Amino acid sequence: MGALATSTLTYCGIPLPHAASARTTQPLRLLGSPCGMRVGFAANLEHFRWPGFTDFVTSNFDLLTPEGEMKWSALRPAPNRFDFGPADQLLAFSQRQGMAVHGHNLCWNTGNPDWLKSVLTPRNAERYLTDHITAVVSRYAGKMDSWDVVNEPIGLWFNRADGLYGGPWLDTLGVGYIDIAFHAAAAADPKALRILNIHNVEHGDAYSEKSRQAALALITQLVARKVPVQAIGLESHLDAGRALDAAALTGFIEGIRSMGLEVLVTELDVNDSQISGTLAERDKAVADMYAAYLSMVLPAMNIQRLIFWSVTDKMNWMDYMKDNRWRRADGLSHRCALLDANLNPKAALYSCISALQQVCTQG
Ligand code: G3I
């Protein structure tokens, strides 16, 4: 890690582009540890083939989330068949490195294998959901830090009065699909933290506010029904073109914590689709958004886990999205991550380092 080990300045094995940028001494995970926080990252197997990726993540993080390998679409090639191969490989890597593993995810109304919709009925859906969660969670019991038990329960664009995200589980089981999923996960591994992973709640505009209200209403019902949810994950796919509202965000976090639940950040990155200008200008807007967000949420959370979704811009997920929210007018690739596509550190990395230093080291 010594930045001065060679004549080229490096940070955690990555050459630094400009000597003036080398204003850090410690990896992210060590910056998080004074406040008892694990700092994690998402990756799929492909990422580990890229030179420099493994060095960077093993230096910087102590928690791994498989980006796709634990989803239904990966684990369930056919109704009666499981494929645990890729997920097992990521788990074995994490164990060798002494990293915790955050599982993503056990139940989602999208991202499912094509066969699911054609077999699911109101009569058999509970059995499919329970059997899947029991099989997956039992297999990894004792090895997982946490699970996104239900992913993205709120989706305003479905235009339902309750704001719920539509899809096969909601259609067949109603909102009770969430109860079923959490009870099955708790039975199969009582020790892994059980998370309801929510999105679109982070910004200061009316859309985020409406999502926050729908999320709070749902969480209130789940707590009243004694559903064994333990934590709320804020995905935190931020948008550099949309403002934050500190009071609204921290009020939301405090509202969740007042119901006895933990709050964590599960998928942090920054969309720069609406930011024009030079690369440096775009990178600054992204870096500022990372720093502003972390300095708002970390003090308000019961900080235990902070997970970065995009480590590098290389093949980032935003470039593959069809929706206008992720379409850049200039057609260029997004600059959403901590490192650029050549795995060089960007301003985003330094702003996260500063934010963690301020909150955890000096806080
Ligand atoms: O890599 C291939 C590329 O070779 C191919 O040309 C291209 C054609 O579509 O696909 C590329 O892979 C895509 C991959 O994203 C790129 O990162 C897959 O099709 C696409 O399905 C995949 O999407 C994933 C998405 O979830 C759906 O499962 C993203 O990797 C993943 O980052 C994203 O993660 C979600 C979380 O699970 C839930 N929260 C939101 C988050 C971001 O959308």
Side-chain angles (χ1 to χ4, degrees), residues 67 71 104 108 151-152 235 237 267 309 315 317 320:
E67 186 182 8
K71 289 174 178 168
H104 174 79
W108 193 11
N151 200 43
E152 299 178 352
E235 285 196 0
H237 294 292
E267 305 188 10
W309 199 253
M315 294 186 69
W317 64 272
Y320 297 96

Side-chain angles (χ1 to χ4, degrees), residues 11-237:
Y11 172 68
C12 299
I14 305 291
L16 289 174
H18 306 295
S21 303
R23 48 191 140 94
T24 180
T25 51
Q26 284 191 309
L28 295 168
R29 65 188 162 81
L30 294 184
L31 294 171
S33 63
C35 36
M37 177 169 59
R38 283 189 183 277
V39 182
F41 70 110
N44 59 53
L45 282 174
E46 169 79 16
H47 293 142
F48 293 91
R49 301 205 186 98
W50 302 338
F53 186 84
T54 304
D55 282 349
F56 182 79
V57 297
T58 52
S59 300
N60 274 282
F61 301 112
D62 50 16
L63 182 147
L64 164 68
T65 303
E67 186 182 8
E69 287 82 350
M70 288 183 167
K71 289 174 178 168
W72 273 73
S73 52
L75 293 179
R76 303 297 301 274
N80 298 317
R81 199 153 62 81
F82 284 82
D83 179 1
F84 289 109
D88 285 355
Q89 284 185 57
L90 283 175
L91 195 89
F93 168 83
S94 307
Q95 289 182 320
R96 283 197 301 278
Q97 301 298 332
M99 280 182 188
V101 181
H102 166 68
H104 174 79
N105 60 65
L106 296 170
C107 176
W108 193 11
N109 273 297
T110 189
N112 291 305
D114 289 340
W115 58 260
L116 187 69
K117 264 191 181 167
S118 57
V119 303
L120 227 49
T121 68
R123 283 172 67 90
N124 67 18
E126 178 168 0
R127 176 59 38 217
Y128 267 103
L129 186 55
T130 305
D131 285 353
H132 176 85
I133 292 177
T134 305
V136 175
V137 176
S138 305
R139 178 184 182 86
Y140 297 121
K143 298 174 180 164
M144 302 298 288
D145 171 76
S146 42
W147 276 106
D148 287 330
V149 176
V150 170
N151 200 43
E152 299 178 352
I154 304 296
L156 296 184
W157 61 96
F158 288 92
N159 291 319
R160 293 170 51 103
D162 54 13
L164 293 178
Y165 194 131
W169 300 117
L170 187 68
D171 292 348
T172 50
L173 295 167
V175 66
Y177 85 89
I178 300 177
D179 307 39
I180 293 165
F182 275 95
H183 283 292
D189 181 359
K191 291 200 174 142
L193 186 75
R194 294 179 296 276
I195 299 163
L196 181 72
N197 199 33
I198 62 176
H199 72 329
N200 290 334
V201 293
E202 298 85 358
H203 284 284
D205 44 37
Y207 188 82
S208 275
E209 179 57 24
K210 214 170 163 197
S211 296
R212 283 192 288 271
Q213 293 308 325
L216 280 176
L218 173 64
I219 296 163
T220 304
Q221 287 169 27
L222 297 178
V223 169
R225 292 204 296 269
K226 299 197 178 352
V227 176
V229 53
Q230 296 172 306
I232 302 301
L234 307 182
E235 285 196 0
S236 312
H237 294 292

Side-chain angles (χ1 to χ4, degrees), residues 238-317:
L238 306 177
D239 189 327
R242 291 167 67 195
L244 297 170
D245 177 336
L249 195 52
T250 55
F252 177 61
I253 291 171
E254 281 154 17
I256 295 167
R257 292 188 60 201
S258 73
M259 290 189 258
L261 302 177
E262 287 184 31
V263 177
L264 52 148
V265 170
T266 49
E267 305 188 10
L268 179 60
D269 55 21
V270 179
N271 178 5
D272 68 339
S273 296
Q274 295 181 53
I275 309 298
S276 54
T278 63
L279 282 191
E281 287 164 342
R282 289 169 56 193
D283 287 352
K284 181 172 185 314
V286 168
D288 288 350
M289 178 56 73
Y290 272 107
Y293 185 71
L294 288 177
S295 57
M296 283 175 202
V297 297
L298 293 183
M301 288 161 43
N302 177 18
I303 306 167
Q304 299 206 327
R305 293 162 190 83
L306 162 63
I307 304 173
F308 290 88
W309 199 253
S310 298
V311 172
T312 152
D313 295 334
K314 188 176 168 73
M315 294 186 69
N316 72 78
W317 64 272

